Structure formats: C-alpha cells, structure tokens
Amino acid sequence: MTSSSDRSPAVDVRSSKTYEIRTYGCQMNVHDSERLAGLLEDAGYVRAPRGSEGDADVVVFNTCAVRENADNKLYGNLGHLAPKKASRPGMQIAVGGCLAQKDRDTIVKRAPWVDVVFGTHNIGKLPVLLERARVQEEAQVEIAESLEAFPSTLPTRRESAYAAWVSISVGCNNTCTFCIVPALRGKEKDRRPGDILAEIEALVADGVSEITLLGQNVNAYGSDIGDREAFSKLLRACGGIDGLERVRFTSPHPRDFTDDVIAAMAETPNVMPQLHMPLQSGSDPVLKAMRRSYRQERFLGIIDKVRAAIPHAAISTDIIVGFPGETEEDFEQTLHVVREARFAQAFTFQYSKRPGTPAAEMDGQIPKKVVQERYERLVALQEEISWEENKKQIGRTVELMVAEGEGRKDDTTHRLSGRAPDNRLVHFTKPDQEVRPGDVVTVEITYAAPHHLLAEGAVLDVRRTRAGDAWERRTAEKAAQPTGVMLGLPKVGVPEPLPAATGGCGLD
C-alpha cells in the first residue's frame, strides 16, 4: 500500500472539467495512459464522451518516439488543436511519454500553445503541472531523469472488469541499435515479488480472472534484485492464486528465455500456452548489427524446447524487414526461420530510421522499394503459415474467455467472440442463455481463417464466472462511473487482447 505522502497531492477542479487521452506506441504506454486517467479522475476530472475528440478541457498526448515520423504526427495533431484551444479559454494540452522525454523544451518551442510537457518517469505529476500552468499562465516543462515512483503506486482507471495488466518491471538493460527505449525509459527496475503478488491478489478479489505480466524485457525480471530465476518463480507463484484463471506475459527476450521459464510455463496450469518471442531477423550478421545477443540456432532451439514441453503452444513474433545492411541472403534466412518456427502470428515492420538510435546512422540503408518487396514476400509467407496452423485447430474443443468488443461484426453475424487459452480469437454462435464478458464457454472449432477461428455449432457449455459477475456490476454502475473501474491501491491497467503490434517498446 502507498501512503498519501508518496503520491502527488490531488488537485481540486470543477467536476465538469473533462479530459481526453490519446495514446501511441507500446503496451507500456497503454498501461501509463490508464494511470494518467486515474490521476486525472482522482483530481476531479471526468472522461470526455467517446467521439468528442478535441473537445475536452484537457487533452493529453502520451507519445511514442520509435517511429521516424513520430514527431511530425504529434505536431500535426497539436496543430489541429491550436484553433480549438484559441477559441476555448481554459482548455489545456499536455504532452507526455517517450517523445516528451526525448524532445523536452523543443515541444513548447514548436507548439507554444502546449501547457504541460512531462516525461516517462514523472507521470504522477500531471495534475499538479496542469494546475501550475493554469495559475502561472505559462507552460510547465518537467522531465525527471529517473523513476520517481513505480507506476503501480499510482491510481488507475481500469477499462476491463475481467482482465488486467500487471507491471513487474520498467526500463531495459539491452542496447539494441534500432531501439531508443533504454535511453528514454532508463535501466531496468524490478518490483518486489511480494508487491506484484499482492496486486494480483487484489485484482482477483475484485473479479479479474486474467492478468498479463508486463515489462519491456519481461523475462529479464530478477536482474535488478539479483535472482536469475525470479521470473519462473513468479509464474509458479501465480499458479497458487485461487481464482486466477489465466496468466500471460509480454514481451520476453530470447537472451533471457531459460529452461526454468519453459518448465514453469509447462507445469503451471493457469499460465497459458502462448508465447510472444521477438525474432527481429533470422540472419546472424543482421542480429549482430542489431546487437541482439542470440543467433538463429539459439532462437530456433528455444522454439523447439517450448513445443516439446507445450505441444499446443501458439507462438507469435516481431520481425523487422530492411534493417541497414540486410542483403537478399540475410532476408532469406529470416524466411527460413519463419518456415521452421511456424509462428501462429507475426507482427512485421518495415525498418524506419528512429532518431537517436545507432541504426539510423548506419551505412547500407535499404531503398524503400526493396524493403517493400521483401515485406510483401514475408507477409505472404506468414499469412500462408498462419492459415495452415489455424486449420489444425478445426475439430478441437476449446474453452473461450468471452471478450468485450473484439468481434467487429458480431452484431450482424449474431455471434460473440472470445479468446482461447493460446490467445487465438474465436467467433462463436451466440447461445440462448446469457453470456457475459469474462464468462467461459466451451466450443468446437469448425472453420479457420488466417487471423481468426469460427465455432459455428451450438455452444457446448457455459460457465458463469466471478469475472462475469464483475463485468455485470460494472455495467450496472455505468451511470455513476461512465467508463472504467477505479480500484483501491494497488492499481493496474488492462492488456490488449493480442501481443501488441508495436514498433519499439514492445520490440524486445
């Protein structure tokens, strides 16, 4: 628990003041944005209605710095808000996240109508900085050089009643040449295992049945506290929490993926048979240029071990195409690994210069036309493999955790959607009885597409859960709490349903 002295003081504002948060980038930014929402609501703001973009009293940009045009996108969005701000006395704009940590004073020089700039290490100061900017009538730029308080000590507005992020570490000790995250997020800092488990237990008591352990390099957990097996121990400890049905984690690094982690995954029933393992490239020379500490043989060896221990595991990955110096032979090695690993899904990216990274200054930058052609070949191969792997699911009986808002066509098809234990998305026939998000249904897979499965027959079983009860309570209280779920400390965020398709923080 966190004492009141550990947190920024609440700032009194009129309850009618609204806020909007625009989030870019990785899972950590999504997690941080939920904390920003919690801070603002703790200070008396209320979330602006959906669809009212730019009409809030406070608009917060939580930025990402890993894309070549990230700054252009930010300043373009800020430019669109300038006339609105000019016509609305009292409106405030804040910029936080990785780009704010990187550019600092540059933001208010290029966009002088911005009121607050804050970094990745001091998100807890946002309400105070907004009030200071209002009183002093001048921009407030405050960038901390190191973490002031672990984010989990901050209030959070959690969006899901049944699933949540649990951050186990922040920062990264790697020096990948394409990634600026360590410079902006700092060195890895681990939470104490007892604090993590206490947070999970509080979540489960509130109705959460699925958690995703989150870190920039999640399986390096323990390096800061001097225990090389800390991550596998944490997974096993999660298995002892009554009521916690599903445990996932993202994103691991092959360097730290040890046999004890594989054993913990295989032997802990509520750790799901899913693994997101970033490859980046299948070429040893390119991996060396990227400063990735593994090579093709090591990566494929991990995949083989995971499949031997967990035969039905669905493995996904991240791949960068067109890294400086990548030859056609190098690219063919990537295709070779894709064929051998048979990923259920791959998040593929065309390399783009990321300001502040060593790779941006490397010789051998690949022409856009070449990168595009390679990218299309990779996507075509992975689509074929994803479809073939999904077809293997036909005839299987699986338990789905019913999801909220994942099936965009559910209303017209009279279906519902859910996630299998291996995180595959399944659309299923809506049963006669009530099924709530967070409940569990048993279905038989009848059809496969590259990115989803169908269960077109009758639902075999419906299990009402505490998570479904929590969703029902939240829905009933929606008039009083328009969006989200506020918890007592410890606080958490909510995971995306799939491994995030990011271009930076998640690319470990």
Side-chain angles (χ1 to χ4, degrees), residues 139-429:
Q140 302 295 309
V141 179
E142 187 169 309
I143 306 293
E145 297 302 328
S146 60
L147 193 67
E148 293 186 345
F150 204 91
S152 289
T153 64
L154 301 174
T156 296
R157 173 62 68 184
R158 184 163 55 82
E159 296 294 341
S160 172
Y162 56 89
W165 295 117
V166 175
S167 183
I168 69 171
S169 64
V170 294
C172 181
N173 294 336
N174 293 319
T175 58
C176 301
T177 55
F178 56 79
C179 185
I180 199 171
V181 171
L184 303 179
R185 292 278 183 178
K187 293 292 186 180
E188 180 178 325
K189 184 174 179 60
D190 295 335
R191 292 178 69 192
R192 292 175 57 241
D195 292 341
I196 297 169
L197 294 171
E199 180 175 352
I200 296 172
E201 288 169 352
L203 284 165
V204 172
D206 196 60
V208 167
S209 59
E210 176 177 321
I211 60 104
T212 299
L213 303 175
L214 178 64
Q216 247 105 33
N217 184 4
V218 69
N219 61 320
Y221 176 74
S223 62
D224 182 49
I225 57 179
D227 185 352
R228 290 180 58 86
E229 295 188 353
F231 186 63
S232 62
K233 292 175 183 176
L234 182 62
L235 291 177
R236 292 183 186 277
C238 287
I241 297 177
D242 187 41
L244 179 59
E245 297 196 19
R246 295 187 173 191
V247 178
R248 306 186 191 277
F249 57 88
T250 194
S251 289
H253 192 295
R255 182 195 67 186
D256 303 299
F257 209 82
T258 48
D259 290 349
D260 61 297
V261 173
I262 297 173
M265 291 178 66
E267 296 165 9
T268 310
N270 63 356
V271 175
M272 294 295 96
Q274 172 216 348
L275 175 64
H276 184 70
M277 179 69 77
L279 168 65
Q280 309 306 2
S281 174
S283 162
D284 287 355
V286 173
L287 289 170
K288 182 178 180 180
M290 288 178 168
R291 288 189 200 151
R292 303 288 285 180
S293 53
Y294 56 89
R295 298 296 179 259
Q296 179 188 119
E297 183 178 4
R298 159 75 172 153
F299 186 92
L300 288 174
I302 293 171
I303 302 300
D304 288 343
K305 287 181 178 180
V306 170
R307 291 236 163 88
I310 315 166
H312 291 299
I315 301 174
S316 56
T317 195
D318 298 320
I319 300 173
I320 297 173
V321 178
F323 188 81
E326 180 188 76
T327 65
E328 178 62 23
E329 182 180 353
D330 291 326
F331 179 66
E332 286 292 341
Q333 288 301 306
T334 296
L335 297 182
H336 169 70
V337 175
V338 169
R339 293 187 188 100
E340 290 293 311
R342 300 197 65 79
F343 300 113
Q345 189 175 20
F347 298 105
T348 53
F349 306 90
Q350 297 185 40
Y351 172 78
S352 61
K353 291 184 179 180
R354 299 167 186 195
T357 64
E361 307 300 323
M362 286 182 176
D363 294 333
Q365 302 288 328
I366 310 298
K368 170 65 176 177
K369 182 178 179 181
V370 175
V371 176
Q372 181 67 34
E373 188 271 337
R374 290 176 183 171
Y375 176 81
E376 290 173 0
R377 286 160 55 197
L378 173 61
V379 169
L381 174 62
Q382 182 56 51
E383 287 277 305
E384 178 184 334
I385 292 172
S386 294
W387 199 359
E388 290 172 355
E389 291 301 304
N390 275 358
K391 287 176 181 176
K392 295 177 182 178
Q393 308 303 309
I394 295 174
R396 287 190 64 197
T397 299
V398 297
E399 282 194 335
L400 309 178
M401 182 173 290
V402 180
E404 184 174 24
E406 287 211 62
R408 289 174 294 178
K409 299 180 181 179
D410 282 352
D411 289 340
T412 57
T413 59
H414 303 290
R415 293 183 180 127
L416 297 176
S417 298
R419 291 279 169 180
D422 63 10
N423 211 35
R424 284 183 165 94
L425 177 63
V426 182
H427 306 299
F428 63 95
T429 301

Side-chain angles (χ1 to χ4, degrees), residues 24-74:
Y24 305 91
C26 69
Q27 306 99 322
M28 193 65 75
N29 269 18
V30 174
H31 198 32
D32 284 349
S33 286
E34 293 189 331
R35 304 203 181 286
L36 293 171
L39 285 160
L40 290 171
E41 296 195 13
D42 224 26
Y45 295 84
V46 296
R47 182 172 295 177
R50 297 189 186 278
S52 58
E53 289 192 0
D55 290 330
D57 295 297
V58 172
V59 179
V60 183
F61 291 87
N62 191 6
T63 64
C64 174
V66 301
R67 291 297 188 191
E68 188 175 14
N69 64 347
D71 55 346
N72 292 334
K73 188 170 186 178
L74 170 65

